[in-house]
Amino acid sequence: MVTDVARKYLAAADSDSSYLVANELIKQRNNIEFAREVVNDETQIPLILNKVETKIEELGKQVAHEAKKFAKNPNRVYLVGGGASLIYPAIKNAYGTLGNRVVLVDEPQEALARELCLYHSDGESIAMPEQPAVAQQLPHQEVVNV
């Protein structure tokens, strides 16, 4: 959703609109120097960044709405997955009473993959470089994957 908008506006600015560039621009959207490196028509940078921010806000609202339908009053929310950092503000706002119990897990994309591996390993030990398993860091409570 966000990547598609970034790609569309990168292409309109006569720039590389690959998934790699678009996703990196999304990650580094607050780094104007990076934007200048990847956007050929620099006059389009404000428009591109505005469209990306708008789409991130829309995504966050949609995910928050669905999360509230799924889990109206959870005790904790742990965000994992590649887009977790994008929707974190919206989820934190949607579950405002939880305060610091809305957690953006470190390395959220890797955390999801790591936990899926652990889930499918039937308890076998899996060596992951320099990252303890998320399940070992979290208290034993219900975890809602939003």
Side-chain angles (χ1 to χ4, degrees):
M1 186 171 166
V2 179
T3 303
D4 291 340
V5 165
R7 292 185 70 221
K8 174 183 174 182
Y9 284 92
L10 281 167
D14 196 30
S15 305
D16 181 354
S17 60
S18 67
Y19 286 100
L20 176 68
V21 171
N23 286 329
E24 198 58 35
L25 180 62
I26 293 165
K27 287 186 233 175
Q28 295 196 43
R29 65 192 177 279
N30 296 319
N31 179 350
I32 195 69
E33 292 304 317
F34 179 78
R36 286 187 179 125
E37 286 180 30
V38 298
V39 178
N40 291 333
D41 181 355
E42 291 186 12
T43 65
Q44 298 295 312
I45 291 173
L47 175 66
I48 294 168
L49 297 179
N50 180 274
K51 294 294 185 180
V52 166
E53 286 297 335
T54 299
K55 194 52 83 170
I56 289 170
E57 289 173 17
E58 288 175 19
L59 174 64
K61 286 177 185 175
Q62 288 176 354
V63 172
H65 177 75
E66 292 299 319
K68 290 296 262 185
K69 288 188 338 190
F70 178 75
K72 291 180 184 174
N73 299 305
N75 183 263
R76 296 191 186 321
V77 176
Y78 295 99
L79 295 172
V80 298
S85 62
L86 298 178
I87 63 168
Y88 175 70
I91 300 300
K92 191 150 180 73
N93 185 49
Y95 293 105
T97 58
L98 293 181
N100 64 359
R101 291 179 290 169
V102 175
V103 178
L104 176 61
V105 174
D106 291 337
E107 303 297 331
Q109 189 167 8
E110 292 175 15
L112 179 58
R114 184 174 42 256
E115 293 306 310
L116 286 171
C117 286
L118 288 171
Y119 178 79
H120 291 290
S121 71
D122 292 328
E124 296 174 22
S125 177
I126 295 178
M128 299 297 284
E130 302 179 29
Q131 292 285 334
V134 173
Q136 294 171 354
Q137 297 174 4
L138 305 177
H140 294 285
Q141 297 192 17
E142 181 181 354
V143 176
V144 176
N145 182 7
V146 179

